[in-house]
Amino acid sequence: MSSTAVRRTALAASAAALALLATACGGSSDDDSAAGDDKAKAEQSAPAGDAGESAPAGGVPTAAELEKVALVQADVKNGEVTTKVPAKDDVAKDQVSTDDAACLPIALAQSAVAQGEPAASVKRSWQGQTEAPSESKGPDGQDMIDVSVDKIMLNLASYPEGGAEKALKDLGAAADKCAGGFLATSGEDKMKIVKVAEGTAPEGGDEAVAVDLGVNVGKEAPGLMKLVVVRKGATLATFSAVNLSSMMTGAEFEVPAEVVDAQVAKLG
């Protein structure tokens, strides 16, 4: 088998396993048409025109204003941004539950659902793939390619005075209380979280919380998921991230910094 054939085999395997990746991140991948991709890539990062909705007293961003600062294709060099999350991936707050109420903030973040009582919220998704020469060889000694697939579900939510700070504090408290795990339901999906630990929060924004989740995937080692929530003023940006390989093996991975940094930068 040629190295090209091996590469194609690896890519096909990654594509076949995306169902697991999407379920773990609260939804499935959106396969836009070529025309849709071209349109998305043509979107500009600069604020759009007047959406006919002004900010309420106190400067809390409206849904229209959040749309203007939410991630678009032009903001990232790699991967694909979906600006309209399909209905099947858009989990509602009342579709998320946990066996322990103290752990609900974690399940909401994992499902890309806004914490607390937001004034407005919008969603995005991003999916990217990288390839690198593998240290392993094929059965006939041929070169192999390691394919890494990442997916992020993103939620931007704005809050009345003090609401964003409280929502972030509640998430941090939930991570402490639920270290031993819990059962969660997100839409039609059920998940057993076996471990919750503090992660490495990114710089930028006014404050941030990061949480690592160990997920029962039916193997000896739990799969790994990551949550990053950044506050900028009255707005929270929640990133629910999974990596295909890490979901299957529990291996460490990094939340794509390009995506997090690009979104936080747009919040001002």
Side-chain angles (χ1 to χ4, degrees), residues 24-117:
C25 203
S28 59
S29 174
D30 179 37
D31 295 325
D32 293 329
S33 65
D37 288 340
D38 290 341
K39 180 179 180 181
K41 291 177 181 179
E43 292 184 85
Q44 297 300 312
S45 173
D50 184 9
E53 188 174 354
S54 60
V60 179
T62 63
E65 290 172 327
L66 290 178
E67 285 287 353
K68 293 178 183 180
V69 296
L71 201 71
V72 296
Q73 191 64 50
D75 298 322
V76 295
K77 296 180 180 179
N78 302 301
E80 296 184 2
V81 175
T82 298
T83 56
K84 184 173 177 57
V85 176
K88 64 181 183 296
D89 298 345
D90 191 1
V91 178
K93 186 175 183 178
D94 61 5
Q95 294 178 294
V96 181
S97 63
T98 56
D99 64 336
D100 184 343
C103 306
L104 184 59
I106 300 172
L108 290 171
Q110 184 276 322
S111 302
V113 175
Q115 305 287 323
E117 299 299 330

